[in-house]
Amino acid sequence: MKPVLEARGVWKVYESGVIRVEAVRGADLAVARGEFVAVMGPSGSGKTTLLSMLGAMLTPTKGSILVEGEDISRLGPEELSRLRRRRIGFVFQAFNLFAALTAKQNVELGLRLRGRPARDTESEALRALDAVGLSERADFPPADLSGGEKQRVSIARALAGGPQFILADEPTGALDAVNGRAVMELLAERARKAGAAVVVVTHDLRVAQFMDRVVLMEDGRLTAGAHPRGAPAGGL
Ligand SMILES: Nc1ncnc2c1ncn2[C@@H]1O[C@H](COP(=O)(O)OP(=O)(O)OP(=O)(O)O)[C@@H](O)[C@H]1O
Ligand SMILES: [Mg+2]
């Protein structure tokens, strides 16, 4: 199947003064519509860096990111921002919620950025929060939410409005087994039913059952794992 989101020979080198970190070293990854892919690997192996490049939030040092076959380095700042806002749902490892806004307002802001008319955002935001089991916390600011609840708000924000590409960085890291499973089911449904291309960074081996494919990242390089329902490569 034709990939809709692709990293081709992507490198990211962070340089500050004399310190140089080769965080991603020649990664290739192609994700098709409706596909649910997991990226696993040790801490510091470059997973967040790779996901940020796939999400058009970080520019590769070398190589390219293609969205529906188009190299996004050719896009101007306006088009790039539009791609990020309208078509990509990103779940940040550190949640990145606005402290001054309630849970509902955080989700509504995401919907406004996607171009949803103001009259629809409240009901859509409430639906998105309900899908992660948080209707009762809609009017709470992040400071009054538990870690797992904050994480679920950030998931609701990323999924609201039905983006084509969903990139989630450890979306179950702060969740218990029941909520973690519910979130993975939600993401799987976005891939299977809505045809979204979904990439999830995770350490959670329990999620393997939901995946079409697991790739392993080690020391900035990707190696394809086996089908998750078989025994993945790399000893995981
Ligand atoms: N802005 C930055 N400047 C310099 N080095 C960075 C920067 N961001 C990340 N790194 C380094 O790049 C490497 C990869 O970081 P990254 O956050 O991508 O890892 P990760 O696989 O997501 O780890 P974790 O599982 O702990 O979240 C690490 O060694 C990290 O210290
Ligand atoms: Mg990370």
Side-chain angles (χ1 to χ4, degrees):
M1 229 192 313
K2 213 167 139 259
V4 289
L5 183 60
E6 201 177 348
R8 267 195 209 159
V10 161
W11 284 70
K12 185 68 193 183
V13 182
Y14 293 112
E15 271 179 296
S16 54
V18 291
I19 298 171
R20 181 185 151 89
V21 180
E22 294 183 344
V24 174
R25 304 192 294 156
D28 291 301
L29 180 67
V31 188
R33 206 177 114 74
E35 199 179 16
F36 192 2
V37 177
V39 179
M40 295 184 134
S43 178
S45 60
K47 304 178 302 293
T48 294
T49 304
L50 176 66
L51 206 67
S52 306
M53 291 191 284
L54 285 168
M57 293 187 299
L58 187 68
T59 311
T61 310
K62 210 166 87 185
S64 31
I65 302 293
L66 290 89
V67 170
E68 285 166 351
E70 185 181 12
D71 185 340
I72 64 169
S73 71
R74 302 218 179 92
L75 302 178
E78 281 296 313
E79 288 170 304
L80 207 55
S81 145
R82 206 179 154 82
L83 165 69
R84 274 194 298 262
R85 287 186 284 115
R86 304 232 163 172
R87 300 170 70 190
I88 297 173
F90 203 98
V91 180
F92 295 89
Q93 195 167 11
F95 317 145
N96 295 11
L97 299 175
F98 286 97
L101 303 179
T102 65
K104 183 179 75 184
Q105 289 165 339
N106 265 283
V107 180
E108 284 194 81
L109 178 62
L111 284 162
R112 292 291 294 148
L113 291 171
R114 286 209 205 294
R116 281 289 197 276
R119 63 172 185 278
D120 298 338
T121 57
E122 185 171 16
S123 57
E124 277 194 62
L126 287 171
R127 228 178 312 131
L129 287 170
D130 188 44
V132 294
L134 278 185
S135 316
E136 316 245 290
R137 295 285 181 270
D139 295 323
F140 281 44
D144 295 347
L145 296 171
S146 73
E149 288 169 346
K150 284 199 270 275
Q151 183 151 48
R152 284 184 282 154
V153 174
S154 84
I155 291 161
R157 180 180 59 184
L159 298 188
Q164 277 171 283
F165 308 104
I166 296 168
L167 305 169
D169 201 349
E170 294 271 8
T172 62
L175 301 181
D176 59 80
V178 172
N179 279 300
R181 195 185 163 85
V183 162
M184 282 299 165
E185 276 167 1
L186 210 56
L187 292 169
E189 187 181 286
R190 286 311 175 97
R192 315 246 143 93
K193 293 204 184 129
V198 183
V199 182
V200 171
V201 168
T202 183
H203 287 290
D204 189 349
L205 282 169
R206 290 170 304 188
V207 308
Q209 59 179 307
F210 295 100
M211 303 298 166
D212 297 310
R213 192 151 54 100
V214 175
V215 293
L216 304 175
M217 190 149 206
E218 202 161 5
D219 216 6
R221 292 184 194 278
L222 279 183
T223 52
H227 191 280
R229 291 168 197 94
L236 273 175

Short mmCIF file of all heavy atoms in Angstrom, two decimals, residues 59-123:
data_model
loop_
_atom_site.label_atom_id
_atom_site.label_comp_id
_atom_site.label_asym_id
_atom_site.label_seq_id
_atom_site.Cartn_x
_atom_site.Cartn_y
_atom_site.Cartn_z
N THR A 59 12.79 19.99 12.20
CA THR A 59 13.33 19.80 10.84
C THR A 59 14.49 18.81 10.87
O THR A 59 15.40 18.95 11.68
CB THR A 59 13.86 21.15 10.31
OG1 THR A 59 12.84 22.11 10.53
CG2 THR A 59 14.18 21.09 8.84
N PRO A 60 14.48 17.82 9.99
CA PRO A 60 15.61 16.88 9.95
C PRO A 60 16.90 17.60 9.55
O PRO A 60 16.87 18.55 8.78
CB PRO A 60 15.21 15.89 8.85
CG PRO A 60 13.76 16.05 8.62
CD PRO A 60 13.43 17.46 9.02
N THR A 61 18.02 17.11 10.07
CA THR A 61 19.33 17.63 9.66
C THR A 61 19.61 17.15 8.24
O THR A 61 20.23 17.84 7.44
CB THR A 61 20.42 17.11 10.62
OG1 THR A 61 20.00 17.36 11.96
CG2 THR A 61 21.75 17.77 10.38
N LYS A 62 19.15 15.93 7.96
CA LYS A 62 19.35 15.33 6.63
C LYS A 62 18.19 14.39 6.37
O LYS A 62 17.59 13.87 7.30
CB LYS A 62 20.67 14.54 6.64
CG LYS A 62 21.38 14.47 5.31
CD LYS A 62 22.81 13.98 5.46
CE LYS A 62 22.90 12.46 5.44
NZ LYS A 62 24.25 11.98 5.70
N GLY A 63 17.89 14.14 5.10
CA GLY A 63 16.79 13.24 4.77
C GLY A 63 15.48 14.00 4.68
O GLY A 63 15.45 15.21 4.84
N SER A 64 14.39 13.27 4.38
CA SER A 64 13.13 13.99 4.22
C SER A 64 11.94 13.28 4.84
O SER A 64 11.92 12.07 5.04
CB SER A 64 12.86 14.27 2.73
OG SER A 64 13.41 13.27 1.93
N ILE A 65 10.94 14.11 5.14
CA ILE A 65 9.64 13.64 5.61
C ILE A 65 8.65 13.88 4.47
O ILE A 65 8.58 15.00 3.94
CB ILE A 65 9.18 14.44 6.85
CG1 ILE A 65 10.19 14.34 8.00
CG2 ILE A 65 7.79 13.98 7.29
CD1 ILE A 65 10.35 12.97 8.60
N LEU A 66 7.92 12.84 4.11
CA LEU A 66 6.95 12.99 3.02
C LEU A 66 5.53 12.77 3.54
O LEU A 66 5.27 11.80 4.26
CB LEU A 66 7.23 11.98 1.91
CG LEU A 66 8.50 12.26 1.11
CD1 LEU A 66 9.71 11.59 1.73
CD2 LEU A 66 8.34 11.76 -0.31
N VAL A 67 4.66 13.68 3.19
CA VAL A 67 3.25 13.53 3.52
C VAL A 67 2.51 13.35 2.20
O VAL A 67 2.60 14.22 1.32
CB VAL A 67 2.71 14.76 4.28
CG1 VAL A 67 1.20 14.72 4.40
CG2 VAL A 67 3.34 14.82 5.67
N GLU A 68 1.85 12.22 2.06
CA GLU A 68 1.21 11.84 0.80
C GLU A 68 2.15 12.05 -0.39
O GLU A 68 1.79 12.60 -1.41
CB GLU A 68 -0.10 12.62 0.62
CG GLU A 68 -1.17 12.05 1.54
CD GLU A 68 -2.39 12.91 1.69
OE1 GLU A 68 -2.36 14.06 1.22
OE2 GLU A 68 -3.36 12.44 2.30
N GLY A 69 3.40 11.65 -0.17
CA GLY A 69 4.39 11.69 -1.25
C GLY A 69 5.07 13.02 -1.44
O GLY A 69 6.01 13.13 -2.21
N GLU A 70 4.61 14.04 -0.72
CA GLU A 70 5.21 15.36 -0.91
C GLU A 70 6.22 15.66 0.20
O GLU A 70 5.91 15.54 1.40
CB GLU A 70 4.12 16.45 -0.91
CG GLU A 70 4.71 17.81 -1.22
CD GLU A 70 3.67 18.94 -1.22
OE1 GLU A 70 2.54 18.71 -0.76
OE2 GLU A 70 4.02 20.03 -1.68
N ASP A 71 7.41 16.07 -0.21
CA ASP A 71 8.47 16.41 0.73
C ASP A 71 8.07 17.71 1.46
O ASP A 71 7.93 18.76 0.83
CB ASP A 71 9.77 16.62 -0.06
CG ASP A 71 10.96 16.88 0.86
OD1 ASP A 71 10.76 17.26 2.02
OD2 ASP A 71 12.10 16.70 0.38
N ILE A 72 7.91 17.63 2.78
CA ILE A 72 7.39 18.80 3.49
C ILE A 72 8.42 19.92 3.65
O ILE A 72 8.07 21.04 4.02
CB ILE A 72 6.76 18.46 4.87
CG1 ILE A 72 7.80 17.91 5.84
CG2 ILE A 72 5.59 17.49 4.70
CD1 ILE A 72 7.27 17.82 7.27
N SER A 73 9.68 19.63 3.31
CA SER A 73 10.67 20.71 3.37
C SER A 73 10.40 21.75 2.27
O SER A 73 10.92 22.86 2.29
CB SER A 73 12.10 20.16 3.23
OG SER A 73 12.32 19.72 1.92
N ARG A 74 9.56 21.37 1.30
CA ARG A 74 9.21 22.32 0.24
C ARG A 74 8.10 23.27 0.67
O ARG A 74 7.79 24.23 -0.03
CB ARG A 74 8.73 21.57 -1.01
CG ARG A 74 9.78 20.62 -1.53
CD ARG A 74 9.80 20.60 -3.06
NE ARG A 74 10.84 19.69 -3.49
CZ ARG A 74 10.62 18.40 -3.74
NH1 ARG A 74 9.40 17.92 -3.67
NH2 ARG A 74 11.62 17.62 -4.10
N LEU A 75 7.45 22.97 1.79
CA LEU A 75 6.33 23.81 2.22
C LEU A 75 6.83 25.09 2.87
O LEU A 75 7.85 25.10 3.57
CB LEU A 75 5.44 23.07 3.22
CG LEU A 75 4.81 21.75 2.75
CD1 LEU A 75 4.00 21.13 3.88
CD2 LEU A 75 3.94 21.96 1.52
N GLY A 76 6.10 26.18 2.66
CA GLY A 76 6.41 27.42 3.34
C GLY A 76 5.90 27.36 4.77
O GLY A 76 5.17 26.44 5.12
N PRO A 77 6.27 28.36 5.59
CA PRO A 77 5.87 28.34 7.00
C PRO A 77 4.35 28.28 7.22
O PRO A 77 3.88 27.58 8.11
CB PRO A 77 6.46 29.64 7.57
CG PRO A 77 7.01 30.40 6.41
CD PRO A 77 7.13 29.48 5.26
N GLU A 78 3.60 28.96 6.36
CA GLU A 78 2.13 28.95 6.49
C GLU A 78 1.56 27.56 6.24
O GLU A 78 0.72 27.06 6.99
CB GLU A 78 1.51 29.92 5.47
CG GLU A 78 1.58 31.37 5.89
CD GLU A 78 0.76 31.62 7.16
OE1 GLU A 78 -0.40 31.15 7.21
OE2 GLU A 78 1.29 32.25 8.08
N GLU A 79 2.05 26.95 5.15
CA GLU A 79 1.55 25.62 4.78
C GLU A 79 1.94 24.57 5.82
O GLU A 79 1.18 23.66 6.13
CB GLU A 79 2.14 25.20 3.43
CG GLU A 79 1.57 25.95 2.25
CD GLU A 79 2.37 25.65 0.99
OE1 GLU A 79 3.62 25.86 1.00
OE2 GLU A 79 1.77 25.20 0.01
N LEU A 80 3.14 24.74 6.36
CA LEU A 80 3.64 23.80 7.36
C LEU A 80 2.79 23.89 8.63
O LEU A 80 2.40 22.88 9.23
CB LEU A 80 5.09 24.16 7.67
CG LEU A 80 6.01 23.05 8.15
CD1 LEU A 80 6.02 21.87 7.19
CD2 LEU A 80 7.43 23.59 8.33
N SER A 81 2.48 25.11 9.00
CA SER A 81 1.68 25.32 10.20
C SER A 81 0.26 24.77 9.99
O SER A 81 -0.34 24.18 10.88
CB SER A 81 1.71 26.81 10.54
OG SER A 81 0.49 27.22 11.07
N ARG A 82 -0.24 24.94 8.79
CA ARG A 82 -1.56 24.43 8.45
C ARG A 82 -1.59 22.89 8.51
O ARG A 82 -2.53 22.30 9.04
CB ARG A 82 -1.89 24.89 7.03
CG ARG A 82 -3.33 25.01 6.75
CD ARG A 82 -3.50 25.51 5.31
NE ARG A 82 -4.78 25.07 4.81
CZ ARG A 82 -5.92 25.72 5.05
NH1 ARG A 82 -5.91 26.83 5.76
NH2 ARG A 82 -7.04 25.25 4.59
N LEU A 83 -0.53 22.29 7.99
CA LEU A 83 -0.42 20.83 8.05
C LEU A 83 -0.45 20.36 9.51
O LEU A 83 -1.19 19.45 9.87
CB LEU A 83 0.89 20.39 7.37
CG LEU A 83 1.38 18.96 7.62
CD1 LEU A 83 0.45 17.95 6.94
CD2 LEU A 83 2.81 18.75 7.12
N ARG A 84 0.37 20.98 10.34
CA ARG A 84 0.43 20.62 11.76
C ARG A 84 -0.91 20.80 12.46
O ARG A 84 -1.36 19.94 13.21
CB ARG A 84 1.44 21.53 12.47
CG ARG A 84 2.87 21.06 12.42
CD ARG A 84 3.70 21.82 13.43
NE ARG A 84 3.74 23.24 13.15
CZ ARG A 84 4.73 23.87 12.51
NH1 ARG A 84 5.78 23.19 12.09
NH2 ARG A 84 4.67 25.16 12.30
N ARG A 85 -1.54 21.93 12.21
CA ARG A 85 -2.77 22.25 12.94
C ARG A 85 -3.96 21.43 12.48
O ARG A 85 -4.77 20.97 13.27
CB ARG A 85 -3.10 23.74 12.79
CG ARG A 85 -2.19 24.65 13.59
CD ARG A 85 -2.66 26.09 13.51
NE ARG A 85 -2.35 26.70 12.23
CZ ARG A 85 -3.24 27.11 11.34
NH1 ARG A 85 -4.53 26.99 11.58
NH2 ARG A 85 -2.86 27.65 10.20
N ARG A 86 -4.06 21.26 11.17
CA ARG A 86 -5.29 20.69 10.62
C ARG A 86 -5.25 19.18 10.47
O ARG A 86 -6.27 18.52 10.55
CB ARG A 86 -5.57 21.30 9.25
CG ARG A 86 -5.66 22.80 9.32
CD ARG A 86 -6.92 23.27 8.70
NE ARG A 86 -7.17 24.64 9.13
CZ ARG A 86 -8.13 25.40 8.63
NH1 ARG A 86 -8.92 24.93 7.70
NH2 ARG A 86 -8.31 26.61 9.08
N ARG A 87 -4.08 18.64 10.16
CA ARG A 87 -4.07 17.24 9.75
C ARG A 87 -3.36 16.30 10.71
O ARG A 87 -3.45 15.08 10.56
CB ARG A 87 -3.44 17.15 8.36
CG ARG A 87 -4.25 17.97 7.34
CD ARG A 87 -3.52 18.09 6.04
NE ARG A 87 -3.49 16.82 5.33
CZ ARG A 87 -2.76 16.60 4.25
NH1 ARG A 87 -2.01 17.57 3.76
NH2 ARG A 87 -2.77 15.43 3.66
N ILE A 88 -2.62 16.90 11.67
CA ILE A 88 -1.85 16.05 12.57
C ILE A 88 -2.39 16.18 14.00
O ILE A 88 -2.61 17.30 14.48
CB ILE A 88 -0.35 16.46 12.53
CG1 ILE A 88 0.21 16.22 11.12
CG2 ILE A 88 0.45 15.69 13.59
CD1 ILE A 88 1.63 16.73 10.91
N GLY A 89 -2.59 15.07 14.65
CA GLY A 89 -2.93 15.07 16.07
C GLY A 89 -1.73 14.54 16.82
O GLY A 89 -1.30 13.41 16.58
N PHE A 90 -1.15 15.37 17.70
CA PHE A 90 0.08 14.97 18.38
C PHE A 90 -0.16 14.86 19.88
O PHE A 90 -0.65 15.79 20.50
CB PHE A 90 1.18 16.01 18.09
CG PHE A 90 2.58 15.48 18.25
CD1 PHE A 90 3.31 15.07 17.14
CD2 PHE A 90 3.16 15.37 19.50
CE1 PHE A 90 4.60 14.56 17.28
CE2 PHE A 90 4.44 14.85 19.66
CZ PHE A 90 5.17 14.46 18.53
N VAL A 91 0.16 13.71 20.43
CA VAL A 91 0.07 13.55 21.89
C VAL A 91 1.49 13.68 22.44
O VAL A 91 2.34 12.84 22.16
CB VAL A 91 -0.51 12.17 22.27
CG1 VAL A 91 -0.59 12.03 23.79
CG2 VAL A 91 -1.88 11.97 21.63
N PHE A 92 1.74 14.75 23.19
CA PHE A 92 3.08 15.02 23.69
C PHE A 92 3.39 14.18 24.92
O PHE A 92 2.52 13.96 25.77
CB PHE A 92 3.22 16.50 24.07
CG PHE A 92 3.10 17.43 22.89
CD1 PHE A 92 1.86 17.91 22.50
CD2 PHE A 92 4.22 17.79 22.16
CE1 PHE A 92 1.74 18.76 21.40
CE2 PHE A 92 4.11 18.63 21.06
CZ PHE A 92 2.87 19.11 20.68
N GLN A 93 4.65 13.77 25.01
CA GLN A 93 5.10 12.98 26.16
C GLN A 93 4.84 13.75 27.46
O GLN A 93 4.51 13.17 28.48
CB GLN A 93 6.60 12.68 25.99
CG GLN A 93 7.12 11.59 26.88
CD GLN A 93 8.51 11.11 26.47
OE1 GLN A 93 9.18 11.72 25.64
NE2 GLN A 93 8.94 10.01 27.06
N ALA A 94 4.98 15.09 27.41
CA ALA A 94 4.79 15.90 28.62
C ALA A 94 3.43 16.62 28.61
O ALA A 94 3.25 17.61 29.31
CB ALA A 94 5.92 16.91 28.74
N PHE A 95 2.50 16.11 27.81
CA PHE A 95 1.11 16.58 27.71
C PHE A 95 0.93 17.96 27.07
O PHE A 95 0.05 18.15 26.25
CB PHE A 95 0.37 16.56 29.06
CG PHE A 95 0.61 15.33 29.89
CD1 PHE A 95 0.68 15.40 31.27
CD2 PHE A 95 0.80 14.09 29.29
CE1 PHE A 95 0.90 14.25 32.04
CE2 PHE A 95 1.02 12.94 30.04
CZ PHE A 95 1.08 13.04 31.42
N ASN A 96 1.75 18.95 27.50
CA ASN A 96 1.67 20.31 26.93
C ASN A 96 0.27 20.91 26.94
O ASN A 96 -0.21 21.42 25.93
CB ASN A 96 2.22 20.34 25.48
CG ASN A 96 3.70 20.02 25.41
OD1 ASN A 96 4.27 19.58 26.39
ND2 ASN A 96 4.30 20.26 24.28
N LEU A 97 -0.37 20.87 28.10
CA LEU A 97 -1.69 21.51 28.22
C LEU A 97 -1.49 22.96 28.67
O LEU A 97 -0.50 23.27 29.34
CB LEU A 97 -2.54 20.77 29.26
CG LEU A 97 -2.86 19.31 28.94
CD1 LEU A 97 -3.60 18.67 30.11
CD2 LEU A 97 -3.64 19.18 27.65
N PHE A 98 -2.45 23.81 28.31
CA PHE A 98 -2.39 25.19 28.77
C PHE A 98 -2.95 25.27 30.18
O PHE A 98 -4.11 24.92 30.42
CB PHE A 98 -3.17 26.11 27.83
CG PHE A 98 -2.45 26.34 26.55
CD1 PHE A 98 -2.75 25.60 25.42
CD2 PHE A 98 -1.42 27.28 26.49
CE1 PHE A 98 -2.04 25.80 24.24
CE2 PHE A 98 -0.72 27.49 25.30
CZ PHE A 98 -1.04 26.74 24.18
N ALA A 99 -2.10 25.76 31.11
CA ALA A 99 -2.46 25.77 32.52
C ALA A 99 -3.66 26.68 32.82
O ALA A 99 -4.43 26.42 33.73
CB ALA A 99 -1.27 26.22 33.36
N ALA A 100 -3.80 27.74 32.03
CA ALA A 100 -4.86 28.71 32.31
C ALA A 100 -6.21 28.28 31.74
O ALA A 100 -7.22 28.93 31.97
CB ALA A 100 -4.47 30.07 31.75
N LEU A 101 -6.23 27.19 30.98
CA LEU A 101 -7.48 26.74 30.37
C LEU A 101 -7.97 25.46 31.05
O LEU A 101 -7.16 24.67 31.54
CB LEU A 101 -7.28 26.44 28.87
CG LEU A 101 -6.74 27.57 28.00
CD1 LEU A 101 -6.59 27.08 26.56
CD2 LEU A 101 -7.66 28.78 28.06
N THR A 102 -9.28 25.26 31.07
CA THR A 102 -9.83 24.01 31.61
C THR A 102 -9.57 22.89 30.60
O THR A 102 -9.15 23.14 29.47
CB THR A 102 -11.35 24.12 31.83
OG1 THR A 102 -11.96 24.28 30.54
CG2 THR A 102 -11.71 25.28 32.73
N ALA A 103 -9.89 21.68 31.05
CA ALA A 103 -9.74 20.51 30.16
C ALA A 103 -10.52 20.75 28.87
O ALA A 103 -9.99 20.60 27.76
CB ALA A 103 -10.25 19.26 30.87
N LYS A 104 -11.76 21.17 29.02
CA LYS A 104 -12.61 21.39 27.84
C LYS A 104 -12.05 22.48 26.94
O LYS A 104 -12.02 22.33 25.72
CB LYS A 104 -14.02 21.77 28.32
CG LYS A 104 -15.02 21.94 27.19
CD LYS A 104 -16.41 22.29 27.72
CE LYS A 104 -16.45 23.74 28.17
NZ LYS A 104 -17.75 24.10 28.77
N GLN A 105 -11.58 23.56 27.55
CA GLN A 105 -11.04 24.66 26.74
C GLN A 105 -9.75 24.26 26.02
O GLN A 105 -9.50 24.72 24.90
CB GLN A 105 -10.77 25.88 27.64
CG GLN A 105 -12.06 26.54 28.11
CD GLN A 105 -11.84 27.50 29.27
OE1 GLN A 105 -10.83 27.43 29.97
NE2 GLN A 105 -12.78 28.41 29.48
N ASN A 106 -8.95 23.40 26.64
CA ASN A 106 -7.75 22.90 25.96
C ASN A 106 -8.14 22.15 24.69
O ASN A 106 -7.52 22.32 23.64
CB ASN A 106 -6.94 21.99 26.89
CG ASN A 106 -5.84 22.73 27.63
OD1 ASN A 106 -4.80 23.02 27.06
ND2 ASN A 106 -6.09 23.04 28.90
N VAL A 107 -9.17 21.32 24.80
CA VAL A 107 -9.61 20.54 23.64
C VAL A 107 -10.24 21.48 22.60
O VAL A 107 -10.02 21.35 21.39
CB VAL A 107 -10.58 19.42 24.05
CG1 VAL A 107 -11.04 18.62 22.83
CG2 VAL A 107 -9.92 18.49 25.07
N GLU A 108 -11.01 22.45 23.10
CA GLU A 108 -11.65 23.40 22.18
C GLU A 108 -10.62 24.20 21.39
O GLU A 108 -10.79 24.46 20.20
CB GLU A 108 -12.54 24.38 22.96
CG GLU A 108 -13.84 23.76 23.43
CD GLU A 108 -14.82 24.84 23.88
OE1 GLU A 108 -15.48 25.46 23.02
OE2 GLU A 108 -14.87 25.08 25.10
N LEU A 109 -9.55 24.58 22.08
CA LEU A 109 -8.50 25.34 21.40
C LEU A 109 -7.92 24.52 20.24
O LEU A 109 -7.72 25.04 19.13
CB LEU A 109 -7.40 25.74 22.39
CG LEU A 109 -6.22 26.49 21.79
CD1 LEU A 109 -6.65 27.82 21.19
CD2 LEU A 109 -5.15 26.73 22.86
N GLY A 110 -7.67 23.23 20.52
CA GLY A 110 -7.18 22.34 19.46
C GLY A 110 -8.14 22.33 18.27
O GLY A 110 -7.72 22.39 17.11
N LEU A 111 -9.43 22.28 18.57
CA LEU A 111 -10.43 22.24 17.49
C LEU A 111 -10.48 23.56 16.72
O LEU A 111 -10.63 23.57 15.50
CB LEU A 111 -11.81 21.94 18.10
CG LEU A 111 -12.01 20.48 18.50
CD1 LEU A 111 -13.18 20.34 19.47
CD2 LEU A 111 -12.23 19.61 17.27
N ARG A 112 -10.33 24.68 17.43
CA ARG A 112 -10.31 25.99 16.76
C ARG A 112 -9.13 26.05 15.80
O ARG A 112 -9.25 26.53 14.68
CB ARG A 112 -10.22 27.14 17.78
CG ARG A 112 -11.44 27.32 18.64
CD ARG A 112 -12.63 27.83 17.85
NE ARG A 112 -12.42 29.19 17.36
CZ ARG A 112 -12.92 29.66 16.23
NH1 ARG A 112 -13.64 28.88 15.44
NH2 ARG A 112 -12.71 30.91 15.88
N LEU A 113 -7.97 25.52 16.27
CA LEU A 113 -6.77 25.53 15.43
C LEU A 113 -6.96 24.64 14.20
O LEU A 113 -6.36 24.85 13.16
CB LEU A 113 -5.54 25.09 16.22
CG LEU A 113 -5.07 26.08 17.29
CD1 LEU A 113 -3.99 25.46 18.16
CD2 LEU A 113 -4.56 27.36 16.64
N ARG A 114 -7.79 23.62 14.34
CA ARG A 114 -8.09 22.78 13.18
C ARG A 114 -9.07 23.44 12.23
O ARG A 114 -9.43 22.87 11.21
CB ARG A 114 -8.72 21.46 13.64
CG ARG A 114 -7.74 20.51 14.26
CD ARG A 114 -8.17 19.07 14.03
NE ARG A 114 -7.62 18.20 15.05
CZ ARG A 114 -6.34 17.94 15.21
NH1 ARG A 114 -5.45 18.50 14.41
NH2 ARG A 114 -5.93 17.14 16.16
N GLY A 115 -9.59 24.59 12.63
CA GLY A 115 -10.49 25.32 11.74
C GLY A 115 -11.96 25.05 11.98
O GLY A 115 -12.82 25.44 11.19
N ARG A 116 -12.27 24.41 13.11
CA ARG A 116 -13.67 24.15 13.43
C ARG A 116 -14.37 25.46 13.81
O ARG A 116 -13.81 26.26 14.56
CB ARG A 116 -13.78 23.22 14.64
CG ARG A 116 -13.56 21.81 14.28
CD ARG A 116 -14.75 21.31 13.48
NE ARG A 116 -14.77 19.87 13.46
CZ ARG A 116 -14.06 19.13 12.61
NH1 ARG A 116 -13.29 19.71 11.73
NH2 ARG A 116 -14.12 17.83 12.65
N PRO A 117 -15.59 25.68 13.33
CA PRO A 117 -16.32 26.88 13.72
C PRO A 117 -16.60 26.87 15.22
O PRO A 117 -16.86 25.81 15.81
CB PRO A 117 -17.61 26.80 12.92
CG PRO A 117 -17.71 25.42 12.39
CD PRO A 117 -16.34 24.82 12.40
N ALA A 118 -16.55 28.05 15.83
CA ALA A 118 -16.68 28.17 17.28
C ALA A 118 -17.96 27.52 17.81
O ALA A 118 -17.97 26.96 18.90
CB ALA A 118 -16.64 29.65 17.68
N ARG A 119 -19.03 27.58 17.01
CA ARG A 119 -20.30 27.04 17.53
C ARG A 119 -20.25 25.52 17.76
O ARG A 119 -21.04 24.98 18.53
CB ARG A 119 -21.46 27.40 16.59
CG ARG A 119 -21.33 26.78 15.22
CD ARG A 119 -22.56 26.98 14.34
NE ARG A 119 -22.37 26.25 13.10
CZ ARG A 119 -21.68 26.71 12.06
NH1 ARG A 119 -21.15 27.92 12.11
NH2 ARG A 119 -21.52 25.98 10.98
N ASP A 120 -19.31 24.83 17.10
CA ASP A 120 -19.26 23.37 17.24
C ASP A 120 -18.26 22.87 18.27
O ASP A 120 -18.29 21.70 18.65
CB ASP A 120 -18.84 22.72 15.90
CG ASP A 120 -19.84 23.01 14.80
OD1 ASP A 120 -21.01 23.32 15.14
OD2 ASP A 120 -19.45 22.92 13.62
N THR A 121 -17.35 23.76 18.69
CA THR A 121 -16.22 23.22 19.44
C THR A 121 -16.61 22.69 20.81
O THR A 121 -16.05 21.70 21.26
CB THR A 121 -15.08 24.26 19.60
OG1 THR A 121 -15.62 25.42 20.23
CG2 THR A 121 -14.46 24.61 18.27
N GLU A 122 -17.58 23.32 21.46
CA GLU A 122 -17.91 22.87 22.81
C GLU A 122 -18.46 21.45 22.80
O GLU A 122 -18.00 20.59 23.57
CB GLU A 122 -18.89 23.83 23.50
CG GLU A 122 -19.11 23.39 24.94
CD GLU A 122 -19.91 24.38 25.76
OE1 GLU A 122 -20.56 25.27 25.18
OE2 GLU A 122 -19.87 24.24 27.00
N SER A 123 -19.41 21.18 21.93
CA SER A 123 -19.99 19.83 21.91
C SER A 123 -18.96 18.80 21.44
O SER A 123 -18.89 17.69 21.98
CB SER A 123 -21.24 19.79 21.04
OG SER A 123 -20.92 20.23 19.75
#
